[in-house]
Amino acid sequence: MEELLRQDAAGQAQAVRDGLVSARELAEAAIARIEALDGELNAVVHRRFERALAEIDTIPARAPFRGVPILLKDLGWRQAGEPYHAGSRVSDERADAPDGYGVVRLREAGFVVLGRTNTPEFGSTITTEPVAFGATRNPYDPAYSAGGSSGGSAAAVAAGMVALATASDGGGSIRIPASLCGLVGLKPTRARVSLGPALGEGWNGFSCPGFVTRTVRDSAAALDVVSGTYPGDPYGAPELPGPLAGEVGRDPGRLRIGFLTAHPRGDVPEAPELTEAVTRAAALLESLGHDVEPGGPEALGDPDFPVHFGAIVANNVAAQVAMLGRLRGKPVELDEIEPRNAAMVASARGQSAADHILAAQWIDGFRRRMAAWWSAGHDLLLVPSLGVAPFPLGWIPSDDLSLAFGRTGHAVAYTSPFNATGQPAVSLPLHRNAAGLPVGVQLVAAFGREDLLVRVAAQLEQAAPFEHPAAR
């Protein structure tokens, strides 16, 4: 059974179809591993084991992922009848809310939902250390962060509790935990996955649902399951040429790829392990026949980007806090939420509606300037997944907000621009530092081109197979 737990979701589903294991046995093995490991890692904050086992017999026999265990991030990914806290002490339980559209599709595909994973309060930082539920630890070294905001999901998958877990990404929250936990983290194109029925968009379109997985084929197949628009969605993503799972193993052709080992803005300190990771990945891509050259979009160096991006995020956090107050019938006081979010809410209250719209319009122009680089003939951009080296728990302090925001800004320097542009990007576990901690590299494609990302990611995975020792 341990061997089955080390397989990816596609392998587990095949084992169930072949009769090598029953869906119940597979779920029970995953439950046992969660119970054995989570006391140290603190990845799973809500368990629904008995309900999950009771639901197995209702799964259609032909469901493609029948019996495969999965965990849901406790931010977005609402499930009817289950607690929902978004990492906050300000309870946001919505037992009477319907399943999110993505959860509906996961259950239709046969996944067995075992529980919900830890996340920082409101998903507004890059490490999972919420006051409400405590810190999630990295399976590679428990003294280190598993990243955020999908840190609980990433730690659970890296530790082998489940083969994949849901995630979301508003400024790097899929790619950063994937980098720190040695996983594949694909942020899809804006609106590839509906946020309904609860929302039309998240963080002005910056936030996208997705997954953290151990293989490229799982990321592709899982995204296929949940992709699609619903009536009432504000907009949709460009149609893909076919299922992403069908792109795995397909020849990407000879591509023109730019790469950066230093941030063009000039204010992001360089880390040797990040430079080494990108340099080695560039050499590997070149050895596979691609045209690889230094350089990237000029707009990426715009010093005004963090100000406008940060203002929009702060305004959205303030709106979320206001909604929580309405749901419970009294306003949320700033001392009820963590200092980081209280500072964002206070900042947002000093902004006008016109200020918010002007910031969004600035992002519109930034998006066009960024897109010009791909339109000029580039296929992919290669950059670090994380702007800083792997960091220990406590590195983002709660008692020094200036230091916390500064370090967070450096960490998301290579990820947040592509939330603003809505482009798809994937973090791949191609490197380790001297201490053996994972260091991911990120590939970014033009808007709507997840198909190209999957082809190249699978090509790299075959050339340099990903290792997952923490799952063993």
Side-chain angles (χ1 to χ4, degrees), residues 295-378:
E298 182 179 351
L300 191 60
D302 195 316
D304 292 332
F305 172 78
V307 175
H308 296 292
F309 183 88
I312 290 173
V313 171
N315 292 342
N316 276 272
V317 170
Q320 185 172 0
V321 170
M323 179 58 71
L324 288 177
R326 292 183 183 181
L327 288 171
R328 73 175 192 174
K330 65 176 182 177
V332 175
E333 301 298 333
L334 294 186
D335 62 4
E336 294 183 85
I337 58 179
E338 296 181 27
R340 171 191 70 257
N341 289 315
M344 289 187 186
V345 172
S347 173
R349 289 174 179 173
Q351 302 292 313
S352 68
D355 291 333
H356 179 80
I357 291 171
L358 288 171
Q361 290 176 341
W362 189 93
I363 294 293
D364 290 339
F366 175 78
R367 187 183 305 120
R368 296 184 189 280
R369 288 186 288 138
M370 290 285 282
W373 187 79
W374 278 265
S375 298
H378 296 88

Side-chain angles (χ1 to χ4, degrees), residues 105-130:
R105 291 194 169 189
L106 289 172
R107 291 170 69 131
E108 289 174 346
F111 286 102
V112 178
V113 178
L114 298 183
R116 304 185 70 80
T117 60
N118 204 6
T119 184
E121 186 179 60
F122 310 140
S124 62
T125 189
I126 49 87
T127 185
T128 301
E129 303 177 48

Side-chain angles (χ1 to χ4, degrees), residues 41-65:
L41 297 181
N42 192 36
V44 184
V45 296
H46 174 63
R47 303 179 181 188
R48 59 183 311 273
F49 298 159
E50 291 185 7
R51 289 188 291 279
L53 292 173
E55 292 165 356
I56 288 175
D57 291 339
T58 68
I59 300 173
R62 294 186 178 181
F65 287 95

Side-chain angles (χ1 to χ4, degrees), residues 170-225:
S173 290
I174 290 174
R175 293 157 289 164
I176 288 170
S179 176
L180 291 171
C181 292
L183 303 174
V184 178
L186 173 58
K187 181 195 84 70
T189 294
R190 173 181 295 142
R192 179 70 67 202
V193 182
S194 175
L195 291 170
L199 298 173
E201 63 176 10
W203 286 8
N204 281 70
F206 295 170
S207 183
C208 303
F211 299 86
V212 283
T213 72
R214 295 200 290 264
T215 63
V216 173
R217 70 174 183 174
D218 268 7
S219 285
L223 192 53
D224 283 336
V225 167

